[in-house]
Amino acid sequence: MKKSNIIVVLLFLIGHFVQAQVPCSYEAIIERMKVHNPNVESELFENEVFTKQFIEQLKTDGQFKGQADFKVPVVLHIFHIGEDGKIDMEQVHSGLKVLNDDFNGRNEGWNTIDLAFDSIKSSIDIEFCLATVDPDGNPTTGVNYYEDEDAFYNEGNVFRYAWDNFKYFNIYMPKYVFGEPSNFTAYAYLPNLNGTENNRDGIFYSSIRWGYGEKSELDEGQDWASVVTHEVGHWLNLQHTFSGGCGVQNDFVDDTPPTLGSGIELSGCNNNDFSCGVKTNGSNFMDYNHDCKKMFTQGQVDRMLAALYHPARIQLWSPENLAETGCAPPPTKTDDLSSNLDVKVFPNPSNQQLHFEISETPARLTFFDMNGKAVLVEKLTTNRTTINTSLLKRGIHFYQINTDSEVLSGKILIQH
Ligand SMILES: [Zn+2]
């Protein structure tokens, strides 16, 4: 190759490289978050301490002892001009299906992972659920459409459309996330309490690459649709597998091989190049190879579990919030419509003692905290029982009563 040609090729590659770092590199995310929060770097450092402790505890316990499955209420804000960019509900569901299938290991590529990485693949039992109740308590499809030319190009203050970030995972869908047609599909925000408090959390996603459908430029089954999984990975505190290059710290995940990263311009699943002396996990959702997206590793899953327990995220999947946003039936109305079980619980709110009068015994009484974690279990053998609630934390709890044939649930407030 002529020297001048080599320079042109190099410039082209560097151009791609620089460009490819723009939308969702760790540095780019920090810069975006810094605009409204100058302390974000130290806060994210504290987040690392929290994450590390959480994962160490997981390793000590040998298995995850917390919540086994999660639901996260989602709201989509779609910006369009007339019909342009106005994706329909079918396409909305198609994109969500990709996301849910990927996270749960139900994606097509799950069973065809390179043997070098098959043993470290992992998934989370999580469902991203379109909200059916809006912040005012009214019914919603979980999808909002806005004729907004600025937002259509992802310009102006798009966050003004946010729904309460503690209660809804907000996904903003301009047609182009960088103002004009480009390779860049999306970007995300990391877990950060300040961002959630100020409704500046969520992901931004180009509507033309969301799922498959009339207004998607993707072909049915094209792995590029799994960029949503990549972005939600960031939203759950994952970095790129190539973050930090061959350095020791790399992406803060132990089991992802260090890599210089495969580029956005590579295609297919035959890109498992060697870098940093090892084989690249090119089919990892957090790689930049958008044509072969198949897996998270166990280490990445552990990190995402920690993120779900972060104060910026933990309220989203609480039973109370799932009921409020319509992603789960209200805890107080479960299975008891045809119940013959008669239960009186008082006083509510409760201080030190809670009295249960129950028409049928024996029964098992279980208290759950806001995170759905069982915190107290009692056996009820007589029709009247007094429970000492002084050991329960202040705040809302849910109880469930199980007899041989009935299940009945309710909610109490502990005040002490
Ligand atoms: Zn990214």
Side-chain angles (χ1 to χ4, degrees):
M1 198 183 284
K2 266 173 33 187
K3 201 174 174 186
S4 58
N5 285 351
I6 292 172
I7 291 170
V8 168
V9 168
L10 277 176
L11 283 174
F12 176 79
L13 288 175
I14 289 167
H16 261 268
F17 181 75
V18 171
Q19 211 180 19
Q21 297 308 302
V22 171
C24 58
S25 71
Y26 189 71
E27 293 72 25
I29 296 173
I30 304 286
E31 285 309 310
R32 228 175 356 256
M33 294 174 85
K34 249 189 196 172
V35 173
H36 295 284
N37 179 9
N39 301 321
V40 73
E41 273 173 301
S42 59
E43 290 170 10
L44 289 175
F45 177 76
E46 283 168 29
N47 190 3
E48 277 316 311
V49 176
F50 165 85
T51 304
K52 218 173 168 186
Q53 284 172 349
F54 186 95
I55 291 172
E56 270 166 17
Q57 189 62 49
L58 276 184
K59 286 177 181 165
T60 309
D61 292 346
Q63 59 174 356
F64 186 49
K65 290 188 173 170
Q67 180 93 349
D69 56 355
F70 300 87
K71 261 191 185 180
V72 172
V74 173
V75 57
L76 261 57
H77 306 287
I78 298 171
F79 305 101
H80 60 101
I81 301 174
E83 287 303 305
D84 197 8
K86 194 175 182 183
I87 68 171
D88 60 19
M89 286 303 284
E90 207 176 317
Q91 192 178 331
V92 164
H93 286 294
S94 159
L96 270 181
K97 184 176 184 311
V98 170
L99 177 65
N100 283 320
D101 284 354
D102 284 352
F103 265 87
N104 286 275
R106 297 191 301 255
N107 52 313
E108 226 173 74
W110 181 252
N111 294 316
T112 57
I113 290 168
D114 187 325
L115 286 178
F117 306 109
D118 199 56
S119 62
I120 54 167
K121 70 181 181 184
S122 188
S123 60
I124 302 189
D125 189 349
I126 188 168
E127 185 194 341
F128 296 91
C129 150
L130 279 178
T132 61
V133 179
D134 77 7
D136 297 321
N138 297 317
T140 174
T141 58
V143 178
N144 298 325
Y145 291 97
Y146 313 87
E147 284 248 24
D148 182 329
E149 194 169 344
D150 286 343
F152 176 87
Y153 292 105
N154 195 18
E155 289 165 356
N157 178 19
V158 180
F159 280 136
R160 70 196 160 103
Y161 295 105
W163 283 8
D164 187 336
N165 284 189
F166 282 110
K167 297 184 168 186
Y168 302 88
F169 171 23
N170 284 249
I171 300 181
Y172 302 90
M173 302 187 70
K175 185 171 180 183
Y176 308 111
V177 292
F178 277 85
E180 57 185 16
S182 75
N183 266 339
F184 301 127
T185 306
Y187 59 80
Y189 287 77
L190 299 166
N192 174 254
L193 198 53
N194 180 292
T196 302
E197 281 168 349
N198 291 291
N199 282 342
R200 287 194 293 266
D201 184 37
I203 68 173
F204 282 66
Y205 205 93
S206 173
S207 61
I208 49 174
R209 303 214 181 96
W210 177 274
Y212 315 110
E214 200 192 332
K215 290 194 162 54
S216 170
E217 60 176 33
L218 304 180
D219 296 328
E220 185 79 31
Q222 197 178 335
D223 272 9
W224 197 293
S226 289
V227 171
V228 63
T229 310
H230 174 110
E231 296 308 325
V232 176
H234 282 311
W235 184 76
L236 290 173
N237 210 23
L238 292 188
Q239 296 194 22
H240 296 139
T241 45
F242 51 87
S243 176
C246 301
V248 180
Q249 181 176 284
N250 128 0
D251 59 354
F252 296 111
V253 177
D254 291 341
D255 59 0
T256 50
T259 174
L260 296 175
S262 52
I264 202 166
E265 63 275 12
L266 297 178
S267 62
C269 286
N270 300 315
N271 306 313
N272 291 320
D273 58 321
F274 283 83
S275 61
C276 307
V278 289
K279 199 169 185 179
T280 296
N281 183 198
S283 57
N284 194 293
F285 288 122
M286 300 314 289
D287 190 273
Y288 246 178
N289 173 12
H290 296 334
D291 291 321
C292 183
K293 293 207 165 301
K294 298 184 178 187
M295 62 173 282
F296 289 119
T297 66
Q298 183 60 52
Q300 287 174 317
V301 164
D302 291 348
R303 201 170 157 82
M304 290 194 282
L305 282 173
L308 284 163
Y309 277 82
H310 186 276
R313 301 274 180 266
I314 194 165
Q315 197 182 321
L316 283 167
W317 49 272
S318 69
E320 190 184 49
N321 190 51
L322 293 180
E324 270 185 38
T325 55
C327 275
T332 46
K333 288 183 187 165
T334 49
D335 301 334
D336 55 349
L337 290 178
S338 60
S339 173
N340 295 317
L341 202 59
D342 186 22
V343 176
K344 289 193 181 71
V345 185
F346 57 93
N348 188 6
S350 159
N351 186 352
Q352 301 289 327
Q353 291 188 328
L354 195 59
H355 306 285
F356 279 82
E357 287 185 13
I358 180 169
S359 60
E360 189 187 323
T361 57
R364 189 180 74 244
L365 169 66
T366 312
F367 284 91
F368 299 89
D369 66 12
M370 279 283 287
N371 304 327
K373 188 176 168 190
V375 288
L376 182 68
V377 182
E378 292 273 343
K379 198 163 185 192
L380 307 180
T381 50
T382 57
N383 295 105
R384 291 182 179 192
T385 309
T386 299
I387 305 290
N388 180 356
T389 58
S390 61
L391 291 178
L392 297 181
K393 284 186 181 160
R394 184 185 168 93
I396 289 172
H397 286 70
F398 303 91
Y399 61 84
Q400 190 176 74
I401 295 171
N402 296 67
T403 67
D404 285 343
S405 56
E406 310 273 1
V407 181
L408 192 142
S409 308
K411 185 164 74 172
I412 53 155
L413 180 62
I414 304 292
Q415 288 182 326
H416 49 231

